Each structure stands twice: as C-alpha cells, then as structure tokens.
Amino acid sequence: MKSINELKSEILRLTGEYSRLVHSENRPGYDKKRRMWKEKETIPYAARVFQEEEVQVAVSSILDFWLTLGPEGKKMETELAAFLGVKNSLLVNSGSSANLIAISTLTSHNIEKDRRILHGDEVITVAAGFPTTVAPIIQIGAIPVFIDANPKTGNAFCDQLEEAYSKGKTKAVMMAHGLGNPFDIKQTLLFCKKYNLWLIEDNCDALGSSYSMPRKLAESLGINENSPGLDEGPERIARWTGTWGDISTQSFYPPHHITMGEGGAVNIIKNKRLKVIAESYRDWGRDCWCPAGVDNSCKKRFNWSLGELPHGYDHKYTYSHLGFNLKPSDPQAAIGRVQLKRLPEFIQARKRNWELLRIGLDSLSDILEFSLPTHSESWDSKSGFRWDKSSCRSTCSWFGFKILVKDNAPFSRTDLARELDRNKIGNRMLFGGNLTRQPAFVNLMKDNPHAVRVVGSLSGSDTIMNKVLFIGTYPGLNEDMIKSEIEIIKNFANFSKSIKS
Ligand SMILES: Cc1ncc(COP(=O)(O)O)c(C=O)c1O
C-alpha cells in the first residue's frame, strides 16, 4: 500500500502531466511548450497565464483541505510585502474589496480625529477609470471630488488637485495608476503633505511599474529607501508604484499582472496601526487578530474589557469595527505564490509587448495617439521616451496598449473596436470612461446632486470615453499574435484612408 506522501506525489505528478496536455495555450507567449497560435484564432486582450505548477499547488492545497485563508495565505502576504518593500500586505478576494477596505480603514475611530474620514468628508479622485476605485468612497458616506484625466497618459491632471481641495473637508486622495502608467506621484505627494492628507494608490493595474525622483525631494517627503530590486544610483530614490502613499491596493483577477482567479491585496506601506485596522475590516470587524484556526494569540482572550461588554467577554467575538468578510481562500493563495515568482518575467513580457506594438504601429501616428508615461513628452523607436524637466521618471508594467483615435482619422474609435472584434482581437474601452456619465453615477446625482463634486469640465475624461480603447500587452501574447494585430490595424487604417481620399 502507498504511503500518504507517495499518494500525494503521484496525484501531483499526474496533475502536472494533465496540465501540460490541457493548458498548453495558457502558457506564456515566450514558453516553447506553448501551443502554437494559428492565424485567425482569437487574440485575447488578457487572460490567465500559468504553467503546471499553479495547477499542482492548487490541487495540493485542496488535498490538504485547509480551504480558508491559512498557511499559503500567510506566506503569500509575507512574500508580496517583501517584493514591494512595504510593511504588510493583506490578501483579499478582489481589487474592489481591497479598495473598500483601504478607504474604510481611514474611517476607524482609531484614526486621529482631524484625519479620520467622516460622513460628508471629501476624497479627491479621477473621473476616468474603473468604477470600484470610486464606489467605496461613496459607500463609506464620503463625497468623491472628481478631477479630470489626461487622454495622453490616462492619468489625473494633478494641476487640478489644489482646485479640488476644500479646507476641513478633504481627507484623502484615492486614484489609480491608469493601465500601468504611474500618475504624477511627486505632485500628488507634495499636495498630500501640504494638507496632511492620506494617499491611497489603486495599484490594481500597475503591479511592477516603478517611479523615481531625486533623493533630496523623496527624503523631504519622508521616503528614504529604494524598493527591493530597484536602484537608480545614489542621487535618486526608485520605488514600485503602490509603495509611495499610505495604503495601496492590488487586483489578482485574471487580466491583471498575476492572478489568483478572484483575489487582491491591501498593502500597508509604513504605518503598522493601519494594518490592524484594515485586517479588522477584512475579518468581520473583529478586535482579535488571531489567524484562522488559532486561539488566544494575545494571551488574554478572556481578560479584555472593551465597549460595554462584560469583562472577559471572548476577544474572538469582540468587534471594534463594522466590518466585512473579504478573505480569499488558501488554494487561491497557493496559486498566487507561484504567480508572484513569475512576476519579474511577466513584467518584462508586458514591457516588450507594449514596445513591439508601439514600434509596429508608429507609422499610424498621424491618426492614432499612443500612451505616454506621465513625465514624458514623446517617444521614438531609437531612444524611447523623452522626459520632461520634472526630474521624475517612471517605468510602466503596462496593463494594456492604449490607442486614442485622433479627430482627423477616417474612422471612429468605435469603428476600430468593431473591426478588432470582427478579427477576434480582444479590446476594451478605458474601463468606465467618464464615470460621471455612467448610469450608476447619473442616478446617484439625480437622487442627491451633492453626492459628488466635479472640478472643471472633465473634457479629458470625455475624450477618453469617446476616443480611447486598449488592446492587450499580457504575457500570453507572442510575436506572431502581435504581428497579426499590427497588420490588421494597419490594413484597416490604410483602407479607411483610401476610401476617404
Ligand atoms: C484600477 C482598478 N481598480 C480596481 C479594480 C477592481 O479589481 P477586481 O476586478 O479584482 O475587483 C480594477 C479591475 O480591473 C481596476 O482596473
């Protein structure tokens, strides 16, 4: 008879064999064992990219049958925090949940009174983007104040931050590094420091993007160290996005840089106190911090006097916040840990794929406009990006390849989207476009015109809504797929030009 260990290794060996056979088209584009892509087959804008190891660890974790967030989760939290160089990472079941926890954390009675976000306080955010960067602001009873986005970068026009500020009301800035392009961190941090505001970086689309600034400037903002693995010499500080503010969030939904199926994380960048609060919100609102399956780690489980509960009331059932339960499961974390190991090569692949598309489509620059990093002014195929005078730089772990169809193009953005769709090329609009025009926000404002505040005309966000789409840069793409995308877009553009002239 086989021992338990022998049985398990046999199951995992067979699992690996099965996965190699069945999942060969899910392997990275640069993996020789990947099934060849054939002309005219679908080219997704994103998908999960994995090898047999992810399937094996998932099966192994299922065999162990711990199920709820447990040993794998704990390890992934440690590994993610170490990769980023932040104090703590807490796993959650989605990027949306991460955003909800991040902002809820700042409503806690454990936050000092003048910084705590209360009903009716304001949080500055961006009008163009993903809805669940903004929805949690409203869900906690605060008011989102929308600034505009720049169609060139997809990111906030940070010059509008001052105009958005309202003394005594503004408590935080919460916005995303759009499509993997870091927003203007320098200007945002200077603004937050000036008014003592929180910064929540929605890093859901930007894991592996980085930003750097002169060391003196960073130190004046309280930032002294490079992130692990980043170094731009003694005169500069370079850090991953998601490590500059107070709290940041990740999504591990399949199109994102790594996946756990459903999943995400809340990163606590330096303030340990925020970790305890965020964890409480994630875990039912409880005061107790014992991990699942552990009792009495505080050693005084029956010795607390909290709220108006009788002395000694079980700490495990004592609630200091009106919380949620937003944990993922342990098999998901097991998958996430393997994906995290692959992250450096995934980041490289995203950068490479973006560059191939950029080079291949350059000849259409008269009618199409492509993304620029926030601090760059132009791009050319020989020297790459040319930077502005801000002395800040970024590298983009691109979530997608953004295309803006210019006014002089002989077709519209939606024509292009239809053509891509007809050719089975996955494409997406830039999430919700101008969010204030989405039915959810229109209805909200009908019910209560003061539920949001808008700065300026939001014309940049309208341009993003009307003229922008993106195609994929994900690591599952290979050169043949990218070549085919380029050819189809060029043929369409040239044909459209020819019938117009
Ligand atoms: C910027 C941004 N924030 C939050 C989310 C939500 O993440 P999730 O789908 O994991 O809830 C997304 C989803 O793509 C996103 O793009």
Side-chain angles (χ1 to χ4, degrees), residues 15 33 39 43 101 146 223 226 257 291 415 435 464 488:
T15 301
K33 290 191 209 139
E39 199 107 353
I43 305 177
I101 291 173
F146 289 109
I223 296 158
N226 289 319
H257 296 66
D415 293 336
L435 292 173
I464 287 173
I488 285 164

Side-chain angles (χ1 to χ4, degrees), residues 45 92-99 129-134 175-179 202-206 249-256 261-265 399 430-431 470:
Y45 93 93
V92 292
N93 61 5
S94 73
S96 305
S97 299
N99 283 340
F130 198 80
T132 55
T133 310
V134 179
M175 54 193 189
H177 300 290
L179 280 192
D202 178 333
N203 201 40
C204 287
D205 297 343
T249 58
Q250 306 295 157
S251 167
F252 302 136
Y253 193 65
H256 293 257
E262 304 288 350
F399 185 85
L430 215 165
F431 306 128
F470 69 93

Side-chain angles (χ1 to χ4, degrees), residues 407-481:
D407 288 338
N408 64 334
F411 51 86
S412 70
R413 181 276 316 273
T414 306
D415 293 336
L416 177 60
R418 285 202 185 98
E419 178 67 6
L420 292 170
D421 211 40
R422 200 174 67 77
N423 286 283
K424 298 196 247 169
I425 298 177
N427 66 92
R428 292 287 184 274
M429 293 184 187
L430 215 165
F431 306 128
N434 180 344
L435 292 173
T436 66
R437 300 195 187 280
Q438 288 281 349
F441 286 87
V442 171
N443 288 328
L444 175 78
M445 287 184 277
K446 254 191 219 152
D447 288 347
N448 173 10
H450 304 295
V452 312
R453 194 155 71 76
V454 171
V455 174
S457 68
L458 303 185
S459 60
S461 302
D462 279 340
T463 301
I464 287 173
M465 175 179 68
N466 290 319
K467 298 193 176 300
V468 166
L469 58 72
F470 69 93
I471 56 177
T473 51
Y474 84 108
L477 297 174
N478 64 24
E479 286 194 21
D480 288 345
M481 295 155 102

Side-chain angles (χ1 to χ4, degrees), residues 150-162:
N150 181 345
K152 275 192 202 310
T153 62
N155 279 325
F157 270 123
C158 289
D159 289 348
Q160 292 186 340
L161 286 169
E162 280 288 346

Side-chain angles (χ1 to χ4, degrees), residues 42 58 122 178 201 208 272 275 323 331 345-346 445 499:
T42 299
E122 293 187 346
E201 296 171 75
K272 182 97 186 157
K275 184 254 182 184
E345 68 194 50
F346 283 177
M445 287 184 277
I499 51 172

